[in-house]
């Protein structure tokens, strides 16, 4: 770090040290060679403040000896037996001091994590509970999503050239826990972390800094101790210092009170109006991403827990070596699709796992509403155990049933145009009443937080108490009760008009699960919203928790035809569809066909599931009969093809898997194909060029032409404007050639193909791909603009053509050189020309004539000379006469 030698920096060092050594101020002065009379004066001037005496000792020494080296203070501390403080002097400039005070704040926060909200007296360190979730990333909106191996790579591999990154995730997906874990890694120099070279890490919870004018003010008031000597100017200068590696992490943007205020400092940073060189990471809910960001902003998506992550968490933080308890918990997750879907959110894995393990109660869950009722029982059960008096117990029991005022407050928080989930304590007590308020705090439903009051009057306490729901989903739970009341009371307006189902999925499902009469009205309202039909069915199914089969007939109708999941579907629609597929499977409802259209992740599969770009997982279904995947350039390498076949094997009633426009391996190792697939004789089909269909021979692992009749591919273009399809087309041409299927014509247009004289392949320089030898190709056409070929390039293409044993015609529609530049014969290619001549191959090309006009010429395969049509006809007549 850069050292600053000005007076201000030295004063900061002295202030910091004087707080740590107040009672030894006189001995320090003596070791620093101050006179007793000087020390007496310092004592008289500061009769009641030993900290200031220590500070004045250092200031006096500094002035007396003319800014001596600070190493002298280091040596003095060691003589006093305080070597533990020496490093604070010799290495602490303003940046060091800021980093150290930030780390002290983070260490405190990281050590006070409450994994279970209703157990208020149980704290642990974040690293004891943090478990990796699924993570996907892309460098821009037009890029495809890729899978990230670890959260440690977020700030490196997932960053690319982006200066700004946005991490998004649904409620309960571990966004804030991830922010804490990154802070923990920085504080503790975790080896696997990529934060080791970071000088300053700023982690700001935006929920706590409303009405703050600048990031420097936010850092000072929310992250540094009240008596910190660091000023706003210091912070501003450090953030602007390009010699320091600084990362700013904004958490809880979705709860930032000023996000809609014009010109707030967060927006200025995201739009690169200030701090343009600083690496910035913003964490938010998926439904609340900033409208404006700098170009090339990197995107990261948390996709929740899969089975592997759930098992890691259960073993690490819940059962801790108890194998029997581990198996019991994992079986509960695995056997229940509703529970498995809910617990994709790490928060609910945590709550359910701890509650079920400690209470030894594994309740059968048949709806999301039922799950939350169970969770709330756990909240209240634990709170009741803590009550010392019967009266307290009776009050808690009462408010567990009667909470209308809380319901109304929760509804108002979510129904506004700008959701604000925080209220001031005094205001909330007035609305709820002290009894209900205290009951909610005691059970852990409401959380009190001390935050800086930016409008406090001089002389008053600068901090105030704000209150929020422990989690937004708890807010949705209570708001749903009020929504039920509104729809049952026949409200004159649509009470859901400002509520986005994508953002508030659980609220709608809760409302339908709580009351059957309200359910029919809510589902009708949902069907009128975009992508609302399938979601309405899902909400109606919440009534099944009450022992009914409502909604199953609609599910049966939906599954009787092809169910599509498109790349352009909203995440709400995709998730709804996946949930309906799981419900159909769980209720033995046949699923005729699932068609995944352009929505499969680059990773294709993981943990036995098919991964979607949205971060969702499609589990195997016991009632699925056909699955189709249509996706241009989806690369499915050999190992992923094996996993896809394993997925098919898990679908007990699957009869057909069809893949369209995917990049598939040319063969699949037969020994890795599961025997059960071979005995079930599942059809694995590939739709190739011009509707040509192959099926995978599961015994041999080879692709074979499907069906009877003669197959033939007509014209295939490799055009400069369709380079995004080149890899797929080249792969399918190769497959057709290997299968012995005739290819009538391949046209390579404006792609600058070249080949060396071996002719082993044809390199397409524009797309950096190579066209291998095609043994069934009949005609090759190459056309380029503004290109001149020399004779070696022509020989390379001729050599390639000679090895494509079925070619009868080669046409070169490019400028291959004028007669002045190109010898009148193709030299050094006699064996190649002889091979072509033996097969009666016709070679034609465009020559630039002496008058700079284009003219077609024929290549004489005996002499290697380019001929006009008249010259060729004359030569042929002469040969015939001879």
């Amino acid at each position: 770090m850069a050292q600053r030698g000005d007076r201000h920096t030295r004063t900061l060092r002295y202030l910091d040290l004087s707080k740590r050594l107040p009672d030894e101020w006189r001995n320090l002065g003596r070791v620093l060679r101050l006179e007793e009379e000087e020390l007496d004066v310092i004592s008289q001037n500061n009769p009641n403040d030993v900290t200031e005496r220590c500070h004045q000792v250092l200031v006096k020494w500094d002035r007396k000896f003319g800014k001596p080296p600070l190493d002298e203070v280091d040596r003095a501390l060691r003589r006093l037996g305080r070597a533990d403080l020496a490093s604070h002097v010799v290495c602490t400039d303003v940046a060091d001091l800021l980093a150290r005070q930030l780390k002290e704040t983070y260490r405190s926060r990281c050590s006070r994590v409450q994994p279970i909200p209703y157990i208020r007296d149980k704290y642990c360190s974040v690293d004891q509970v943090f478990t990796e979730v699924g993570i996907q990333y892309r460098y821009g909106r037009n890029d495809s999503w890729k899978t990230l191996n670890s959260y440690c790579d977020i700030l490196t591999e997932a960053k690319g050239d982006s200066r700004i990154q946005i991490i998004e995730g649904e409620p309960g997906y571990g966004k804030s826990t991830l922010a804490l874990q990154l802070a923990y890694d920085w504080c503790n120099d975790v080896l696997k972390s990529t934060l080791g070279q970071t000088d300053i890490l700023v982690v700001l919870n935006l929920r706590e800094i409303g009405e703050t004018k600048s990031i420097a003010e936010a850092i000072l008031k929310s992250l540094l101790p009240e008596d910190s000597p660091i000023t706003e100017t210091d912070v501003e200068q450090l953030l602007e210092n390009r010699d320091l590696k600084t990362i700013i992490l904004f958490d809880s943007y979705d709860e930032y009170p000023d996000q809609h205020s014009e010109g707030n400092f967060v927006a200025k940073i995201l739009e690169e109006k200030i701090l343009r060189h600083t690496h910035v990471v913003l964490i938010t809910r998926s439904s609340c991403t900033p409208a404006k960001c700098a170009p090339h902003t990197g995107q990261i998506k948390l996709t929740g827990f899969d089975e592997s992550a759930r098992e890691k968490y259960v073993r690490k933080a819940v059962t801790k070596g108890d194998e029997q308890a581990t198996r019991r918990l994992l079986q509960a997750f695995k056997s229940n699709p509703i529970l498995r879907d809910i617990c994709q959110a790490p928060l609910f894995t945590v709550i359910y796992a701890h509650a079920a393990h400690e209470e030894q109660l594994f309740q059968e869950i048949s709806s999301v509403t039922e799950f939350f009722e169970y969770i709330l029982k756990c909240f209240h059960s634990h709170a009741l155990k803590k009550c010392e008096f019967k009266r307290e117990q009776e009050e808690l029991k009462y408010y567990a049933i009667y909470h209308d005022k809380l319901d109304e407050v929760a509804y108002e928080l979510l129904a506004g145009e700008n959701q604000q989930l925080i209220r001031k304590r005094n205001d909330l007590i007035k609305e709820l009443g002290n009894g209900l308020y205290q009951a909610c705090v005691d059970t852990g439903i409401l959380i009190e937080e001390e935050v800086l009051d930016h409008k406090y009057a001089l002389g008053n306490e600068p901090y105030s108490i704000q209150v929020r729901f422990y989690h937004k989903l708890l807010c949705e739970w209570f708001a749903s009760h009020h929504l039920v009341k509104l729809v049952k009371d026949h409200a004159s307006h649509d009470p859901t008009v400002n509520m986005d189902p994508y953002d508030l999925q659980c609220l709608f499902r809760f409302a339908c699960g709580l009351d059957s009469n309200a359910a029919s009205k809510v589902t009708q309202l949902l069907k009128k919203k975009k992508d609302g039909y399938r979601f309405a069915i899902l909400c109606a199914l919440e009534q099944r928790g009450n022992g009914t089969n409502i909604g199953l007939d609609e599910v049966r109708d939906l599954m009787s035809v092809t169910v599509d999941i498109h790349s352009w579907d909203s995440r709400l629609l995709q998730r709804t569809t996946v949930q309906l597929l799981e419900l159909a499977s769980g209720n033995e409802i046949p699923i005729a066909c699932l068609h995944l259209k352009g929505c499969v992740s680059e990773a294709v599969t993981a943990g036995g599931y098919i991964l979607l770009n949205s971060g969702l997982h499609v589990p195997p279904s016991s009632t699925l009969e056909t699955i189709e995947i249509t996706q241009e350039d989806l690369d499915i390498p050999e190992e992923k093809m094996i996993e896809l076949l394993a997925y098919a094997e898990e679908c007990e009633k699957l009869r057909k898997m069809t893949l369209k426009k995917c990049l598939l391996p040319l063969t699949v190792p037969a020994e890795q194909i599961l025997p059960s697939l071979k005995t079930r004789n599942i059809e694995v089909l590939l739709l190739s060029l011009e509707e040509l269909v192959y099926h995978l021979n599961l015994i041999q692992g080879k692709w074979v032409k499907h069906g009877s009749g003669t197959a033939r591919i007509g014209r295939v273009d490799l055009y400069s404007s369709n380079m995004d399809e080149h890899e797929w087309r080249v792969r399918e041409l190769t497959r057709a050639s290997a299968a012995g299927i005739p290819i009538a014509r391949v046209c390579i247009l404006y792609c600058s193909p070249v080949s060396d004289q071996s002719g082993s392949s044809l390199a397409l320089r524009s797309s950096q791909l190579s066209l291998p030898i095609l043994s069934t190709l009949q005609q090759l056409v190459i056309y380029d603009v503004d290109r001149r070929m020399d004779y070696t390039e022509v020989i390379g293409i001729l050599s390639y053509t000679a090895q494509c044993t079925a070619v009868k015609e080669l046409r070169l529609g490019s400028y291959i050189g004028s007669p002045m530049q190109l010898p009148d014969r193709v030299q050094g290619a006699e064996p190649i020309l002889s091979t072509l001549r033996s097969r009666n191959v016709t070679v034609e090309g465009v020559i630039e004539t002496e008058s700079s006009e284009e003219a077609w010429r024929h290549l004489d395969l005996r002499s290697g000379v380019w001929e006009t049509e008249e010259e060729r006809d004359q030569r042929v007549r002469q040969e015939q006469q001879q």
Side-chain angles (χ1 to χ4, degrees), residues 1 12 16 20 88 91-108 183 186-189 195-203 219-220 223-225 228-230 234-235 238-239 244-247:
M1 292 187 183
L12 285 173
D16 178 61
R20 301 170 182 274
H88 290 296
C91 70
T92 307
D93 63 0
V94 180
D96 288 314
L97 179 58
L98 174 61
R100 182 155 45 79
Q101 291 188 340
L102 287 173
K103 288 181 178 182
E104 287 174 358
T105 299
Y106 301 155
R107 287 192 182 103
S108 174
W186 182 61
C187 292
N188 294 280
D189 299 321
L195 288 162
Q197 301 301 314
T198 302
D199 296 317
I200 298 173
L201 176 66
V202 175
V203 182
I219 291 170
L220 245 66
L223 297 179
L224 302 188
S228 173
I230 297 175
D234 293 327
V235 175
L238 290 172
L239 294 180
L244 298 174
K245 183 179 179 182
T246 301
I247 298 177

Side-chain angles (χ1 to χ4, degrees), residues 550-840:
I550 187 170
L552 286 182
D553 288 341
E554 289 183 279
V555 174
R556 191 171 284 105
D557 290 342
L558 187 66
M559 299 299 157
S560 65
V561 295
T562 298
V563 177
D564 293 326
I565 300 181
H566 293 273
S567 59
W568 56 81
D569 288 344
S570 68
R571 198 168 193 275
L572 168 67
L573 183 55
Q574 287 191 1
R575 180 168 182 168
T576 298
T577 305
V578 171
Q579 290 169 323
L580 289 172
L581 289 166
E582 286 205 76
L583 283 165
S585 178
N587 288 277
E588 298 298 322
I589 296 173
I591 304 169
C593 179
L594 171 62
H595 193 175
L596 305 176
K597 296 184 175 181
C599 61
V600 177
S601 165
E602 185 183 63
V604 187
T605 57
Y609 294 2
I610 293 177
L611 302 181
L612 304 186
N613 276 327
S614 60
L616 297 173
H617 306 71
V618 182
S621 169
S622 61
T623 62
L624 180 62
E625 297 170 353
T626 300
I627 185 169
E628 297 180 5
I629 299 176
T630 301
Q631 190 157 329
E632 290 186 4
D633 292 339
L634 175 63
D635 192 358
I636 305 179
E638 188 178 282
E639 65 275 12
K640 289 297 179 182
M641 189 67 204
I642 294 295
E643 290 179 12
L644 205 54
L645 292 174
Y647 176 92
E649 196 273 339
E650 289 292 319
C651 299
E652 298 171 8
K653 296 185 179 178
L654 192 73
R655 292 290 173 262
K656 184 193 295 185
M657 173 184 285
T658 303
L659 306 165
K660 304 177 183 178
K661 292 213 166 185
C662 302
L663 295 168
L664 300 181
L666 297 176
T667 60
V668 180
E671 66 277 8
Q672 295 189 39
I673 299 176
L674 296 170
S676 56
L677 280 177
K678 300 173 183 178
T679 57
R680 285 170 56 187
N681 200 28
I682 293 176
E683 280 190 324
V684 181
L685 303 180
L686 166 62
L687 268 63
S688 183
L689 298 161
E690 297 189 346
E691 301 303 315
L692 175 64
V693 181
Y694 299 92
H695 74 263
L696 181 63
N697 185 313
L698 297 174
I699 304 298
Q700 300 176 345
K702 296 180 179 179
W703 296 96
V704 181
K705 182 181 72 67
H706 187 66
S708 58
T710 303
R712 182 175 183 271
I713 295 175
R715 169 174 170 162
V716 177
D717 288 344
L718 298 172
Y719 202 92
S720 61
S721 62
N722 70 357
M723 282 192 293
D724 56 338
E725 292 189 11
H726 277 197
E727 189 172 0
W728 175 70
R729 295 188 181 207
V730 168
R731 184 84 60 97
E732 293 311 307
L733 286 169
T734 308
R735 196 187 314 276
S737 177
I741 296 172
I743 304 167
R745 178 188 298 180
V746 171
C747 298
I748 304 176
L749 309 174
Y750 315 122
C751 295
S752 304
V754 294
S755 179
D756 58 26
Q757 294 194 25
S758 71
S760 58
S761 65
L762 201 58
L764 310 177
R765 288 188 292 194
S766 58
S767 60
Q768 298 182 336
L769 294 171
S770 292
L771 187 67
I773 301 297
L774 302 175
S775 60
T776 61
L777 176 62
Q778 297 170 349
Q779 183 187 44
L780 177 61
V781 177
I782 297 173
Y783 187 72
D784 270 339
V785 172
D786 296 333
R787 179 184 175 196
R788 297 175 184 271
M789 288 187 190
D790 59 29
Y791 76 94
T792 59
E793 290 180 292
V794 175
I795 290 175
I797 292 173
L798 290 173
S799 177
Y800 173 82
T801 306
Q803 294 178 69
C804 295
T805 53
V807 168
K808 293 299 181 184
E809 183 177 2
L810 169 64
R811 294 173 64 87
L812 300 173
S814 63
Y815 295 120
I816 58 174
S818 67
M820 295 291 292
Q821 296 172 326
L822 185 68
D824 59 0
R825 66 174 62 234
V826 178
Q827 297 177 328
E830 286 75 12
I832 298 171
L833 297 179
S834 176
T835 300
L836 295 172
R837 187 174 66 250
S838 69
R839 298 198 337 240
N840 293 322

